[in-house]
């Protein structure tokens, strides 16, 4: 069993390890982090903090994907509390008072838990979440350290600040009267100072998110409760909005090159594997044939021609412009009518209008294990070389490489001479055009310059 905790700045890594010594501590969760995580029914994920404006936030589908694996997922304090209130129906466990306020509708804005992160070196004061301020005000009023009107004034002043500027120092230094003021409120500056002093004396009554985070860690170490969920996570339909990022973030080889995703490796094979066109051709034709392949025992080509004919796609029905766009002049002269149509269907194949031909890494396209591992090694090497080039500060980067060398590079690899042949070779590998393939090759081009660009072995 592994406990994964996404946290910062509500708790530090040391805080987490003090409460759960065997936990794996991660940065605040963001889009893709959970998809890259390999978990199962024996594992637990605790989400406390997450990014919002600093990067793409974790999506609901990503958490549902983890729940569908049977993994226990708890949320508290910040982003975790917000997501738990939204996903409790699918089995995510919410912990703490912040979660309770979100689930009841007392809180309804992510601004309540948003917090500015301290700068490196700790030169900037940690941010002050609104929900913590609300709790401190309530406790100070209950302790008769603050009047209700003063608390209202401080809260209004805090709400007028952007969350990145919301700190005790900012409130005590400026604490502007909101304009226009809804009513005559006391000047908030002195009240903010009194409230900060109360928070210093009674830290246990001022940091609600920290309190809830510790509760979530304690809960994660206990037995898993039986939850009555309305919709089990595994029943939620999978969509392209989940499937595409799943492959973009999921490591290609477990425990090896964790930053290299399955989609990275498949893209490398799409460009460089000698047998990829044959793999892709069968992949596309099998999907075009659909149920006809199982219903007829006359081969893949016949099943494809039958399926295409039912849709009105025949050699006679297609205009000349279609043939000239998808086939080279030599192919239009020399190939048989059936072969010409099959080639056109492969090159124009898409899973949906405008969509990519594949959004994941289907087994039919992956090739053998030896080829897959060799490709993962090459992708990791290319990424490392790019990082070194960019760290030198010379302005060299594959992102800035001109198109002409890339054009020539793919022409050499694919043995394609001329624009028509290069477009045809690209489409035989699932690209829309040679230009799209050139962009895909940019991350790997530096290896070509060193003479170290390997080609994956042909799959058996």
């Amino acid at each position: 069993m592994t406990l994964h905790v996404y946290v910062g700045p509500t708790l530090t890594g040391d805080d987490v390890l003090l409460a759960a010594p065997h936990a794996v501590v991660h940065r605040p969760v963001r889009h893709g982090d959970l998809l890259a995580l390999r978990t199962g029914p024996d594992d637990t994920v605790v989400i406390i903090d997450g990014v919002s404006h600093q990067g793409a936030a974790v999506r609901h589908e990503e958490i549902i994907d983890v729940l569908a694996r049977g993994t226990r997922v708890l949320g508290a304090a910040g982003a975790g509390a917000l997501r738990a209130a939204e996903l409790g129906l699918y089995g995510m466990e919410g912990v703490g008072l912040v979660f309770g306020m979100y689930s009841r509708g007392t809180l309804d804005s992510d601004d309540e838990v948003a917090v500015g992160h301290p700068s490196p070196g700790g030169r900037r004061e940690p941010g002050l979440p609104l929900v913590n301020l609300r709790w401190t005000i309530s406790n100070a009023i209950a302790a008769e350290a603050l009047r209700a009107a003063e608390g209202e004034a401080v809260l209004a002043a805090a709400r007028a600040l952007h969350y990145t500027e919301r700190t005790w120092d900012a409130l005590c230094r400026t604490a502007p009267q909101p304009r226009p003021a809804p009513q005559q409120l006391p000047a908030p500056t002195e009240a903010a100072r009194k409230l900060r002093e109360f928070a210093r004396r009674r830290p246990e009554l001022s940091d609600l998110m920290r309190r809830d985070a510790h509760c979530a860690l304690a809960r994660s170490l206990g037995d898993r409760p039986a939850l009555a969920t309305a919709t089990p996570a595994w029943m939620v339909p999978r969509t392209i909005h989940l499937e595409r990022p799943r492959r973009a973030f999921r490591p290609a080889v477990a425990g090896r090159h964790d930053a290299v995703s399955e989609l990275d490796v498949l893209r490398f094979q799409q460009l460089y594997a000698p047998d990829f066109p044959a793999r892709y051709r069968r992949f596309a034709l099998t999907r075009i044939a659909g149920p006809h392949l199982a219903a007829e025992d006359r081969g893949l080509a016949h099943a494809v021609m039958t399926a295409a004919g039912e849709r009105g796609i025949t050699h006679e029905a297609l205009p000349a412009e279609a043939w000239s766009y998808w086939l080279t002049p030599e192919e239009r002269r020399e190939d048989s009518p059936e072969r010409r149509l099959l080639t056109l269907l492969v090159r124009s194949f898409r899973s949906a209008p405008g969509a990519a031909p594949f959004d994941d890494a289907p087994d039919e396209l992956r090739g053998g294990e030896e080829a897959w591992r060799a490709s993962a090694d090459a992708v990791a090497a290319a990424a490392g070389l790019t990082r070194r080039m960019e760290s030198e500060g010379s302005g060299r980067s594959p992102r800035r490489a001109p198109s002409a060398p890339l054009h020539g590079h793919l022409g050499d690899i694919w043995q394609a001479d001329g624009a028509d042949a290069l477009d045809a070779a690209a489409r035989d590998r699932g690209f829309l055009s040679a230009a799209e393939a050139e962009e895909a090759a940019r991350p790997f081009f530096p290896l070509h310059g060193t003479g170290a660009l390997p080609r994956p072995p042909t799959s058996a």
Side-chain angles (χ1 to χ4, degrees):
M1 170 187 169
T2 303
L3 170 63
H4 298 273
V5 182
Y6 291 86
V7 68
T10 299
L11 296 179
T12 67
D14 289 342
D15 292 331
V16 173
L17 294 176
L18 189 62
H22 301 294
V24 178
V25 181
H26 301 270
R27 65 184 182 181
V29 71
R30 65 185 63 207
H31 173 49
D33 286 349
L34 298 181
L35 299 179
L37 197 65
R38 293 181 181 270
T39 60
D42 294 330
D43 301 314
T44 300
V45 172
V46 177
I47 300 175
I48 294 171
D49 295 307
V51 303
S52 53
H53 295 89
Q54 305 95 336
V58 64
R59 298 175 183 174
H60 301 79
E61 298 94 336
E62 299 171 52
I63 297 174
I64 290 174
D65 183 61
V66 178
L67 290 166
R69 304 173 206 164
T71 302
R72 185 184 185 189
V73 183
L74 295 89
L82 181 61
R83 288 290 183 259
E86 296 163 334
L87 297 175
L89 289 175
Y90 304 101
M92 186 173 180
E93 299 173 45
V95 180
L97 295 179
V98 178
F99 159 73
M101 287 187 280
Y102 273 122
S103 61
R104 291 191 302 270
T106 307
L107 301 179
D108 59 5
S109 169
D110 57 2
D111 184 56
E112 292 286 341
V113 294
V115 56
H117 290 241
S119 60
R123 293 184 295 274
R124 185 177 182 273
E125 184 186 10
L128 177 62
L130 272 180
V131 71
N132 277 1
L133 185 64
R134 289 182 187 276
W135 201 56
T136 308
I137 290 171
S138 295
N139 289 327
I141 293 172
E144 299 184 351
L146 196 74
R147 291 183 291 115
E150 290 177 314
E152 189 178 348
V154 173
L155 185 61
R159 290 178 65 89
L161 295 173
H162 190 266
Y163 82 92
T164 58
E165 301 301 323
R166 216 175 270 148
T167 64
W168 280 118
D169 278 351
L171 277 177
C172 294
R173 184 176 61 252
T174 57
Q177 180 77 19
R179 296 176 184 174
Q183 58 187 32
Q184 286 300 108
L185 298 175
T189 305
E190 185 58 35
R193 291 174 181 152
K194 289 167 60 178
L195 191 62
R196 178 171 64 175
E197 181 58 32
F198 173 81
R200 286 172 173 169
R201 293 197 318 268
R202 304 294 303 273
E204 76 281 6
L205 298 178
S206 62
D207 196 339
L208 177 59
M209 287 174 58
R210 181 180 178 86
R211 173 189 178 279
D212 281 1
H214 277 295
C215 289
L217 291 176
R219 174 82 67 85
S220 72
L221 300 176
D223 293 336
R224 186 174 190 166
L227 298 176
T229 57
T231 305
W234 54 266
M235 288 184 62
V236 177
R238 310 190 75 85
T239 69
I240 191 174
H241 302 292
L242 174 62
E243 292 302 322
R244 183 175 295 168
R246 278 182 81 213
R247 299 301 180 174
F249 289 102
R250 180 165 294 176
V253 182
R256 176 173 175 166
H257 308 316
D258 287 342
V260 176
S261 74
E262 291 186 338
L263 212 54
D264 294 333
V265 176
L266 186 61
R267 181 53 54 91
F268 181 83
Q269 292 202 349
Q270 187 182 10
L271 286 161
Y272 298 111
D275 64 336
F276 195 87
R279 286 187 238 161
Y280 180 71
R281 185 180 183 89
R282 183 163 188 86
F283 168 82
L285 292 179
T286 299
R287 277 156 176 73
I288 293 169
H292 291 283
L293 187 58
E296 302 177 16
D297 192 21
R298 301 176 64 179
L300 177 58
H302 187 272
V304 171
M305 298 293 283
T306 302
E310 288 182 351
R311 294 170 173 82
I313 304 173
T314 65
H315 193 277
E316 296 74 21
L318 290 171
E321 292 83 356
W323 297 110
S324 62
Y325 184 84
W326 293 110
L327 273 64
T328 66
E330 292 78 9
E331 289 168 333
R332 297 197 300 272
R333 285 195 305 268
E334 298 173 5
D335 287 348
S336 67
E338 180 180 283
R339 183 170 178 80
R340 285 198 294 269
L341 183 56
L342 292 174
T343 299
L344 181 146
L345 290 171
V346 169
R347 292 177 183 171
S348 62
F349 170 71
R350 287 293 182 271
S351 56
F358 49 86
D359 297 299
D360 55 2
D363 290 340
E364 309 98 294
L365 293 179
R366 288 173 62 105
E369 196 60 35
E370 180 186 357
W372 190 254
R373 288 183 175 273
S375 299
D377 292 342
V379 172
L385 182 56
T386 296
R387 286 193 296 271
R388 290 195 296 273
M389 291 170 61
E390 294 180 343
S391 66
E392 292 170 356
S394 60
R396 294 170 53 208
S397 169
R399 286 189 284 270
R400 299 189 182 94
S403 296
L406 289 163
H407 191 89
H409 166 60
L410 292 182
D412 291 341
I413 293 291
W414 296 343
Q415 297 181 350
D417 186 15
D420 286 343
L422 198 62
D423 272 334
R427 290 164 181 160
D428 284 339
R429 292 173 175 269
F431 294 106
L432 279 174
S433 64
E436 185 184 53
E438 289 164 13
E439 288 303 308
R442 282 185 184 277
F444 313 118
F445 188 62
L447 283 182
H448 170 71
T450 66
L453 179 65
R455 298 187 71 187
T458 299
S459 300

Coordinates of all heavy atoms in Angstrom, one line a residue, residues 285-311:
L285 N -7.6 0.2 -41.4 CA -8.5 -0.6 -42.1 C -9.4 -1.4 -41.3 O -10.6 -1.6 -41.6 CB -7.7 -1.5 -43.1 CG -7.0 -0.7 -44.2 CD1 -6.2 -1.7 -45.1 CD2 -7.9 0.1 -45.1
T286 N -8.9 -1.9 -40.1 CA -9.7 -2.7 -39.2 C -10.8 -1.9 -38.7 O -12.0 -2.4 -38.5 CB -8.8 -3.3 -38.1 OG1 -7.8 -4.1 -38.7 CG2 -9.6 -4.1 -37.1
R287 N -10.5 -0.7 -38.3 CA -11.6 0.2 -37.8 C -12.6 0.6 -38.8 O -13.8 0.8 -38.6 CB -11.0 1.4 -37.1 CG -10.5 1.0 -35.7 CD -9.5 1.9 -35.1 NE -9.2 1.5 -33.7 CZ -8.5 0.4 -33.4 NH1 -8.1 -0.4 -34.3 NH2 -8.3 0.1 -32.1
I288 N -12.1 0.8 -40.0 CA -13.1 1.1 -41.1 C -14.0 -0.1 -41.4 O -15.2 0.1 -41.6 CB -12.3 1.5 -42.4 CG1 -11.5 2.9 -42.2 CG2 -13.2 1.7 -43.6 CD1 -10.5 3.2 -43.2
A289 N -13.4 -1.2 -41.4 CA -14.2 -2.4 -41.7 C -15.3 -2.7 -40.6 O -16.4 -3.1 -41.0 CB -13.3 -3.7 -41.8
G290 N -15.0 -2.4 -39.4 CA -15.9 -2.5 -38.3 C -16.5 -3.9 -38.2 O -15.8 -4.9 -38.4
P291 N -17.8 -4.1 -38.1 CA -18.4 -5.4 -37.9 C -18.4 -6.2 -39.1 O -18.6 -7.5 -39.0 CB -19.9 -5.0 -37.5 CG -20.1 -3.6 -38.0 CD -18.8 -3.0 -37.9
H292 N -18.1 -5.6 -40.3 CA -18.0 -6.4 -41.5 C -16.9 -7.4 -41.5 O -16.9 -8.5 -42.1 CB -17.8 -5.5 -42.7 CG -19.0 -4.7 -43.1 ND1 -20.2 -5.2 -43.7 CD2 -19.3 -3.4 -42.8 CE1 -21.1 -4.3 -43.8 NE2 -20.6 -3.2 -43.3
L293 N -15.8 -7.1 -40.7 CA -14.7 -8.0 -40.6 C -15.0 -9.3 -39.9 O -14.6 -10.4 -40.3 CB -13.5 -7.3 -39.9 CG -12.2 -8.1 -39.9 CD1 -11.7 -8.3 -41.3 CD2 -11.2 -7.3 -39.1
A294 N -15.9 -9.2 -38.9 CA -16.3 -10.4 -38.2 C -17.4 -11.1 -39.0 O -17.6 -12.4 -38.9 CB -16.8 -10.1 -36.8
A295 N -18.3 -10.4 -39.7 CA -19.4 -11.0 -40.3 C -19.1 -11.7 -41.6 O -19.8 -12.6 -42.0 CB -20.5 -9.9 -40.6
E296 N -18.0 -11.3 -42.2 CA -17.6 -11.9 -43.5 C -16.3 -12.6 -43.3 O -15.4 -12.1 -42.6 CB -17.5 -10.8 -44.6 CG -18.7 -10.0 -44.8 CD -18.6 -9.0 -45.8 OE1 -17.6 -9.0 -46.6 OE2 -19.4 -8.1 -45.9
D297 N -16.1 -13.7 -44.0 CA -14.9 -14.5 -43.9 C -14.1 -14.4 -45.2 O -13.7 -15.4 -45.8 CB -15.2 -15.9 -43.6 CG -13.9 -16.7 -43.2 OD1 -12.9 -16.0 -42.8 OD2 -13.9 -17.9 -43.3
R298 N -14.0 -13.1 -45.8 CA -13.4 -13.0 -47.1 C -12.2 -12.0 -47.0 O -11.8 -11.5 -48.0 CB -14.5 -12.5 -48.1 CG -15.6 -13.4 -48.2 CD -16.7 -12.9 -49.1 NE -16.3 -12.7 -50.5 CZ -17.0 -12.3 -51.5 NH1 -18.3 -12.0 -51.3 NH2 -16.6 -12.1 -52.7
G299 N -11.7 -11.8 -45.8 CA -10.5 -11.0 -45.7 C -10.8 -9.5 -45.3 O -11.9 -9.0 -45.5
L300 N -9.7 -8.8 -44.9 CA -9.8 -7.5 -44.4 C -10.2 -6.5 -45.6 O -11.0 -5.6 -45.5 CB -8.5 -7.0 -43.8 CG -8.4 -5.6 -43.3 CD1 -9.5 -5.2 -42.3 CD2 -7.0 -5.3 -42.7
A301 N -9.5 -6.7 -46.7 CA -9.7 -5.8 -47.9 C -11.2 -5.8 -48.3 O -11.8 -4.8 -48.6 CB -8.8 -6.1 -49.0
H302 N -11.8 -7.0 -48.4 CA -13.1 -7.1 -48.9 C -14.1 -6.5 -47.8 O -15.1 -5.8 -48.2 CB -13.5 -8.6 -49.1 CG -14.9 -8.8 -49.7 ND1 -16.0 -8.8 -48.9 CD2 -15.3 -8.8 -51.0 CE1 -17.1 -9.0 -49.7 NE2 -16.7 -9.0 -50.9
A303 N -13.8 -6.7 -46.5 CA -14.7 -6.1 -45.5 C -14.6 -4.5 -45.6 O -15.6 -3.8 -45.4 CB -14.2 -6.5 -44.1
V304 N -13.4 -4.0 -45.8 CA -13.3 -2.5 -45.9 C -14.0 -2.0 -47.2 O -14.7 -1.0 -47.1 CB -11.8 -2.1 -46.0 CG1 -11.6 -0.7 -46.4 CG2 -11.1 -2.5 -44.7
M305 N -13.9 -2.7 -48.3 CA -14.6 -2.2 -49.5 C -16.1 -2.3 -49.3 O -16.8 -1.4 -49.8 CB -14.2 -3.1 -50.7 CG -12.7 -3.0 -51.0 SD -12.1 -1.4 -51.6 CE -12.7 -1.5 -53.3
T306 N -16.6 -3.3 -48.6 CA -18.0 -3.4 -48.3 C -18.5 -2.2 -47.4 O -19.5 -1.6 -47.7 CB -18.3 -4.7 -47.6 OG1 -17.9 -5.8 -48.5 CG2 -19.8 -4.8 -47.4
A307 N -17.7 -1.9 -46.4 CA -18.1 -0.9 -45.5 C -18.0 0.5 -46.2 O -18.9 1.3 -46.0 CB -17.1 -0.9 -44.2
A308 N -17.0 0.7 -47.0 CA -16.9 2.0 -47.7 C -18.1 2.1 -48.7 O -18.6 3.2 -48.9 CB -15.6 2.0 -48.4
G309 N -18.4 1.0 -49.4 CA -19.5 1.1 -50.4 C -20.8 1.4 -49.8 O -21.6 2.2 -50.3
E310 N -21.1 1.0 -48.5 CA -22.3 1.3 -47.8 C -22.4 2.8 -47.5 O -23.5 3.3 -47.4 CB -22.4 0.5 -46.5 CG -22.7 -1.0 -46.7 CD -22.8 -1.7 -45.4 OE1 -22.5 -1.1 -44.4 OE2 -23.2 -2.9 -45.4
R311 N -21.2 3.4 -47.4 CA -21.2 4.9 -47.2 C -21.1 5.7 -48.5 O -20.9 6.9 -48.4 CB -20.1 5.2 -46.2 CG -20.2 4.6 -44.8 CD -18.9 4.8 -44.1 NE -19.0 4.3 -42.7 CZ -18.9 3.1 -42.2 NH1 -18.8 2.1 -43.1 NH2 -19.1 2.8 -41.0

